[in-house]
Amino acid sequence: MAIEAGMPELTNRHDLIDRYARALATAGLILDPITAMMYQTTLSQPATTDLGNEFLAFSTDPETKAD
C-alpha cells in the first residue's frame, strides 16, 4: 500500500488509515474512496481535491498563500 510505504509506522494499521481517510474525505480534502490510492495503477493520479491542494499549498508556505 502506498500509504504504508510513505508512513511505515502505519503498516498493518488499516483501521487508522481508514479512519484518517474518512476524515479527510469528509472534509473534502481527498477523493473518496481512499482505496483508489492503494493500487499501483492509480498512484500517478491525484488523490487530493482542489480544496486539498489549496490546503497543502497553504500549510507548506502560509506566508505566500494568504489572501
Side-chain angles (χ1 to χ4, degrees):
M1 175 185 297
I3 294 170
E4 292 173 344
M7 300 179 74
E9 64 274 16
L10 293 179
T11 298
N12 297 322
R13 292 303 314 265
H14 301 279
D15 57 323
L16 285 178
I17 293 170
D18 290 342
R19 183 181 305 161
Y20 296 152
R22 280 192 307 273
L24 292 169
T26 299
L29 299 175
I30 63 169
L31 301 173
D32 193 31
I34 189 71
T35 54
M37 289 176 38
M38 296 179 190
Y39 299 101
Q40 188 76 14
T41 57
T42 61
L43 290 178
S44 62
Q45 300 191 7
T48 53
T49 63
D50 290 340
L51 179 61
N53 292 333
E54 289 177 31
F55 176 74
L56 288 172
F58 173 78
S59 64
T60 301
D61 190 2
E63 294 293 320
T64 61
K65 305 300 184 226
D67 290 332

